[in-house]
Amino acid sequence: MNYGKRSEFRTAAANRGTGWRQQDFDLISAVQLLYLIEYGSWYSQSEIGAGLTDWSSSTWLTWNNYNPIERTGLSNGTATWSVSNGSGNKGSYVSYRWIENPWGHIWKFVDGINIEEHVPYVCNDDTYFADDTLTNYTSLGVTLSSSEGYQKTLAQTARGFLPTSVGGSSSTYITDYYWPNAGWRVLWLGGRTKDDGCAGAFCVLMGSTASALNQYVGGRSSF
């Protein structure tokens, strides 16, 4: 499977067997919280490393038309749970708690969350994961920013880290970028090879539909 829609990566993860599913909103929120407890900083690219984030658009286009640059597994065998290798070169990666490239290289789908008109709805039961629906999903009771930019403030909710305003920078406030759009949207996490300082542990894109196909977005299985 070279690339696909969120629903197709959802199926691929479930096909691994009982207990497997695509990474979901509550899981990535727990990882983000763990990172904050350990580092005490929103600035993940500074604390751990930039990862594969600083290629120019033209370089990546010429290299392979925005397709993935590396297979996963570059950090296999790494004894340190938090590591950055390289800075922008082919072979660069970042790893946190042995999760390879939580930001950078390609975007990763996040399941268990649907956004309708900037309002997030979440679900933690993978048997109900579905796109463009509120059925079996719970509203977080907040409205997210409708403007694009570096995140400044977050929703006052105990469940996750989602932006309600922009106006920061790559080194202030939340330090990561946010791309929204109206209508039904899915969540992409982390940023990609050409997103530079926009990328990071809290970088999110909520500008894509569930039916969109892009070679620079992938899925991550979890158990």
Side-chain angles (χ1 to χ4, degrees):
M1 183 174 177
N2 292 325
Y3 61 94
K5 296 178 288 188
R6 185 174 71 165
S7 60
E8 293 170 327
F9 281 105
R10 179 186 303 138
T11 299
N15 285 344
R16 292 181 63 89
T18 303
W20 287 93
R21 61 183 179 179
Q22 185 167 215
Q23 71 172 2
D24 62 271
F25 180 71
D26 283 338
L27 175 61
I28 65 105
S29 297
V31 173
Q32 290 170 326
L33 179 59
L34 179 60
Y35 159 79
L36 283 174
I37 292 170
E38 291 179 328
Y39 284 94
S41 169
W42 299 103
Y43 200 177
S44 55
Q45 284 190 301
S46 175
E47 294 294 332
I48 299 177
L52 188 52
T53 58
D54 63 354
W55 284 31
S56 69
S57 182
S58 59
T59 297
W60 194 9
L61 175 63
T62 301
W63 184 268
N64 67 1
N65 194 33
Y66 303 126
N67 281 283
I69 296 165
E70 298 283 3
R71 293 182 179 273
T72 55
L74 291 176
S75 61
N76 286 357
T78 302
T80 306
W81 55 262
S82 176
V83 64
S84 176
N85 178 66
S87 180
N89 301 316
K90 186 178 185 298
S92 299
Y93 64 84
V94 65
S95 178
Y96 171 66
R97 288 279 168 185
W98 296 284
I99 302 170
E100 189 170 285
N101 292 327
W103 57 88
H105 190 204
I106 61 172
W107 289 100
K108 289 83 178 175
F109 284 119
V110 177
D111 224 333
I113 180 169
N114 293 325
I115 302 97
E116 184 190 27
E117 298 298 338
H118 311 295
V119 177
Y121 300 83
V122 297
C123 173
N124 194 28
D125 186 336
D126 59 289
T127 61
Y128 295 129
F129 286 175
D131 301 325
D132 299 347
T133 183
L134 304 183
T135 303
N136 297 307
Y137 278 69
T138 301
S139 172
L140 290 183
V142 297
T143 300
L144 306 180
S145 175
S146 60
S147 299
E148 170 188 331
Y150 281 98
Q151 301 171 49
K152 186 174 183 179
T153 60
L154 300 176
Q156 296 298 301
T157 173
R159 198 170 178 180
F161 302 90
L162 297 171
T164 52
S165 74
V166 297
S169 73
S170 61
S171 60
T172 61
Y173 294 97
I174 311 304
T175 76
D176 293 344
Y177 211 80
Y178 165 65
W179 290 268
N181 212 334
W184 282 107
R185 302 293 160 177
V186 298
L187 192 154
W188 301 357
L189 178 70
R192 54 184 166 165
T193 297
K194 71 181 189 70
D195 285 331
D196 204 13
C198 295
F202 301 89
C203 174
V204 289
L205 185 148
M206 301 179 191
S208 180
T209 63
S211 60
L213 279 170
N214 295 279
Q215 65 269 43
Y216 46 79
V217 188
R220 190 186 296 277
S221 298
S222 62
F223 186 85

